[in-house]
């Protein structure tokens, strides 16, 4: 049972696959000097703050947006040089806010998996039969039934 933790997004000038594999997550942590769950939290708070008209967290920095996108492109199969060129073109100054959601989505799938990428459970797809309670099987009256008065 495994997950690909990959997603495909319409981003910048096309549609691209993104994936943060273990190697990319390790590099993300090194480049941002923060763990992936902290970065995800900071991005989420930034999205909420932007919606409410507030500033993002004081310790959030541009690498929290830039690096998940760059490394996600690499993990999705794009050569590193091309990924860097895309990020420089589409996630530069004045473009960070519009890319927070993309970075958040890439990181979220890496940490929790894609909703449609759930591993199959043993026995999945088998037809389920209705289970009856022991009381129903026995034919006895239940405690909520009222007894008929004796005749």
């Amino acid at each position: 049972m495994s997950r690909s933790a990959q997603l495909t997004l319409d981003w910048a000038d096309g549609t691209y696959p993104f994936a943060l594999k273990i190697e990319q997550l390790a590099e993300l942590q090194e480049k941002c000097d923060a763990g992936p769950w902290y970065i995800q939290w900071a991005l989420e708070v930034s999205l909420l703050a932007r919606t409410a008209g507030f500033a993002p967290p004081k310790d959030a920095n541009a690498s929290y947006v830039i690096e998940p996108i760059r490394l996600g492109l690499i993990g999705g199969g794009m050569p590193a040089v091309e990924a860097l060129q895309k990020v420089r073109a589409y996630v530069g100054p004045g473009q960070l806010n519009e890319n927070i959601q993309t970075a958040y989505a890439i990181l979220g799938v890496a940490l929790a998996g894609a909703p449609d990428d759930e591993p199959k459970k043993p026995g999945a797809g088998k037809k389920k039969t209705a289970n009856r309670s022991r009381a129903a099987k026995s034919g006895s009256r239940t405690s909520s039934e009222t007894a008929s008065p004796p005749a």
Side-chain angles (χ1 to χ4, degrees), residues 26-106:
E27 186 175 343
L28 175 70
Q29 186 164 322
E30 184 181 310
K31 294 276 187 187
C32 295
D33 196 28
W37 288 274
Y38 183 82
I39 296 167
Q40 183 186 37
W41 171 82
L43 291 170
E44 183 173 17
V45 170
S46 296
L47 285 168
L48 293 171
R50 187 178 71 182
T51 302
F54 297 110
K58 290 182 181 180
D59 62 342
N61 67 56
S63 66
Y64 292 5
V65 177
I66 296 166
E67 293 303 325
I69 295 173
R70 182 182 71 82
L71 292 167
L73 288 166
I74 294 168
M78 184 178 286
V81 172
E82 188 178 341
L84 181 60
Q85 290 169 343
K86 290 275 183 215
V87 167
R88 284 182 177 163
Y90 296 103
V91 194
Q95 300 168 318
L96 290 172
N97 273 343
E98 66 192 56
N99 283 287
I100 293 172
Q101 183 69 47
T102 301
Y104 181 76
I106 294 165

